[in-house]
Amino acid sequence: VIAQALKVVQVSFSSRIKVQTRISKNYPMVLADPSQIHEMIVNLCANAGEAMSETGGILKVILSSTGIDPGSGQQFKDLTPGEYLEMIISDTGSGIDPEIREKIFDPYFTTKEFGKGTGMGLSVVHGIVKTHGGAIAVDCTAGQDTCFRVLLPAAGEDGKQT
């Protein structure tokens, strides 16, 4: 699904944007709707590409396994302890201003000029992640890199979420 989504967005990128992937051989499987995961990746990567459209840069897509421990006080404290698929999509673009960071997942919120965006991309991403029992966080500094971190619960050997 990641490879297909990257093909979709890469054709819209300038040649100054390089895509790097690092996919762990031991990442867990998840119980998810492939079309929704595809849409999530396309939205996050398209936003990253747009942030780097003028200057170029590097889009990184990392897939690995991570665990959430009880009472660990981590960024994802609302998640049930267990194993998760961790997807990181980061860019070397212009970052997100701190004043708007809390609004980026709100429906219809956009920083684009009128007619150039719906403001639904990150809202849809947030909804997809939550529907699948996961969580999403953003880490960025205005004028610097942006990193979206998505955690989705791993499926057990029986094919059900753990």
Side-chain angles (χ1 to χ4, degrees):
V1 173
I2 290 174
Q4 292 172 345
L6 288 174
K7 284 180 186 175
V8 169
V9 294
Q10 254 181 314
V11 296
S12 67
F13 289 170
S14 97
S15 61
R16 297 179 311 199
I17 297 174
K18 304 299 178 209
V19 178
Q20 297 177 352
T21 58
R22 189 171 69 221
I23 299 176
S24 167
K25 293 181 181 182
N26 298 319
Y27 69 87
M29 300 305 288
V30 297
L31 206 54
D33 179 330
S35 63
Q36 288 186 347
I37 299 303
H38 184 273
E39 183 174 3
M40 175 187 73
I41 296 166
V42 166
N43 273 320
L44 289 171
C45 291
N47 283 352
E50 195 167 300
M52 299 182 290
S53 63
E54 291 182 23
T55 60
I58 299 170
L59 168 69
K60 291 182 185 174
V61 179
I62 302 167
L63 197 63
S64 62
S65 175
T66 192
I68 298 293
D69 298 323
S72 63
Q74 294 180 1
Q75 189 174 28
F76 298 105
K77 60 184 174 239
D78 294 338
L79 291 179
T80 304
E83 184 181 16
Y84 287 81
L85 170 74
E86 179 178 39
M87 180 183 310
I88 296 173
I89 297 179
S90 67
D91 67 68
T92 57
S94 56
I96 302 171
D97 289 328
E99 303 85 44
I100 66 168
R101 199 168 302 139
E102 290 183 21
K103 301 176 190 175
I104 63 172
F105 295 113
D106 292 351
Y108 306 110
F109 177 78
T110 183
T111 58
K112 298 174 186 164
E113 60 186 72
F114 184 75
K116 297 237 176 175
T118 64
M120 292 302 292
L122 289 178
S123 176
V124 167
V125 166
H126 186 265
I128 290 169
V129 171
K130 290 295 184 182
T131 298
H132 287 85
I136 184 169
V138 62
D139 182 31
C140 59
T141 305
Q144 295 181 14
D145 305 354
T146 299
C147 178
F148 282 91
R149 190 171 167 216
V150 175
L151 268 60
L152 298 173
E157 290 181 23
D158 60 359
K160 297 179 182 174
Q161 286 184 341
T162 58

